[in-house]
Amino acid sequence: MKITVLSLFPEILEAYFASSIMAKAIERGTMVAELVNIRDFATDRHRTCDDAPYGGGPGMVMKAEPLAAALDSVQSASAATEGMRTIYPTPSGRLFTQHDAERLAVEEHLLFICGRYEGIDQRIVDLYVDEELSIGDYVLSSGEIASLAIIDAVYRLIDGVIRSESLIEESHSAGLLEYPHYTRPEVFRGLKVPDVLLSGHHAEIKRWRSARMREKTKAVRPDLLAESERICDERSEEPNGRNQGN
Ligand code: ADE
């Protein structure tokens, strides 16, 4: 997958693409990353990228021309334009979920526009953007962090990026929150690892984990539990995703 990010502050993103699992995926060729500085496409002497909003009001709006020039340059340089999906992270977008991460993980090329100030000129949204996504009901000071959150949730699902077993039982993949994890030592500050996890009894461990998943979800996200049970009813499965009779 190729990921292109348009930003006024690409240095915020550089460290992420140069570190850890993403850096390894890029080295292996599973991922290609491209950071584009929107300011490089501003044509006036001051390389202006923002202006006051028509109609008045506080703050500044990111101008259409530098953004359009940056987007056109990415499109014309891209061999896989047909497969490119343009995403604008914004608090006024649709709420991004694990389901979106799974859907986007099969795309060939994702392009992210990082907004700043009050946002970008609406005509860029109208002309170029395929989807507006929000990462939560709160407002960040920039789109860079929101873009990284979406990128991180997406790229780790791509084949070969991380071990597929790690993805199977984690939070949200079965519509429920994940069970608690423990590693050595067996006793830490008087707190002991649950006996069942030391038992070696795989069926019991599975049952215990599944009960903890339901318990945690019921306590902190009852909305997810109701939805998971609804989907499982539809599929005549148990809420933890296993088929009945297994
Ligand atoms: N930009 C600022 N806040 C955001 C949010 N909550 N989601 C996506 N993009 C944003």
Side-chain angles (χ1 to χ4, degrees):
M1 171 187 279
K2 181 169 181 178
I3 291 189
T4 301
V5 190
L6 269 55
S7 165
L8 285 171
F9 298 92
E11 61 276 15
I12 294 175
L13 306 150
E14 266 159 23
Y16 174 80
F17 285 100
S19 311
S20 189
I21 306 171
M22 177 59 95
K24 285 205 193 87
I26 291 171
E27 200 178 290
R28 277 201 301 268
T30 313
M31 300 294 301
V32 175
E34 177 185 40
L35 298 179
V36 176
N37 191 336
I38 300 161
R39 209 171 288 285
D40 291 343
F41 294 85
T43 50
D44 68 318
R45 204 156 53 91
H46 302 292
R47 304 211 294 163
T48 312
C49 288
D50 60 325
D51 207 340
Y54 275 120
M60 299 291 267
V61 176
M62 282 174 70
K63 286 168 71 60
E65 301 96 316
L67 274 169
L71 285 157
D72 290 343
S73 110
V74 171
Q75 279 185 358
S76 61
S78 171
T81 304
E82 262 119 65
M84 188 167 84
R85 210 152 171 81
T86 299
I87 296 164
Y88 173 45
T90 165
S92 55
R94 193 171 53 72
L95 196 63
F96 174 72
T97 65
Q98 187 66 20
H99 175 72
D100 293 303
E102 285 160 16
R103 177 175 58 78
L104 295 174
V106 299
E107 293 288 339
E108 250 177 291
H109 187 177
L110 296 179
L111 185 149
F112 291 82
I113 303 173
C114 300
R116 286 247 152 189
Y117 321 116
E118 295 306 309
I120 66 176
D121 189 300
Q122 180 60 32
R123 288 160 296 184
I124 294 297
V125 178
D126 298 342
L127 292 169
Y128 291 92
V129 171
D130 294 307
E131 40 192 311
E132 296 177 274
L133 294 174
S134 165
I135 62 161
D137 292 336
Y138 43 80
V139 180
L140 301 169
S141 57
S142 74
E144 279 78 6
I145 289 168
S147 292
L148 285 183
I150 298 171
I151 290 166
D152 199 85
V154 169
Y155 95 98
R156 60 193 294 284
L157 302 178
I158 294 168
D159 263 359
V161 171
I162 60 174
R163 287 214 317 269
S164 54
E165 314 90 84
S166 309
L167 301 175
I168 293 169
E169 292 186 345
E170 67 185 12
S171 293
H172 296 291
S173 62
L176 297 177
L177 304 182
E178 209 175 351
Y179 51 79
H181 299 278
Y182 297 86
T183 185
R184 280 180 289 194
E186 239 178 83
V187 182
F188 176 70
R189 297 195 181 167
L191 299 178
K192 196 176 173 312
V193 173
D195 287 336
V196 63
L197 299 180
L198 309 172
S199 68
H201 194 303
H202 295 300
E204 284 295 319
I205 293 171
K206 204 168 174 183
R207 240 190 312 277
W208 181 86
R209 285 179 167 164
S210 164
R212 297 293 78 72
M213 283 169 82
R214 269 200 295 275
E215 197 174 82
K216 176 87 191 269
T217 311
K218 190 173 175 195
V220 304
R221 292 293 305 276
D223 55 315
L224 289 181
L225 191 64
E227 178 61 8
S228 161
E229 279 168 357
R230 192 189 61 73
I231 293 168
C232 288
D233 277 354
E234 258 175 38
R235 295 184 192 155
S236 347
E237 282 179 352
E238 287 181 24
N240 65 2
R242 286 179 299 149
N243 288 320
Q244 272 175 353
N246 277 358

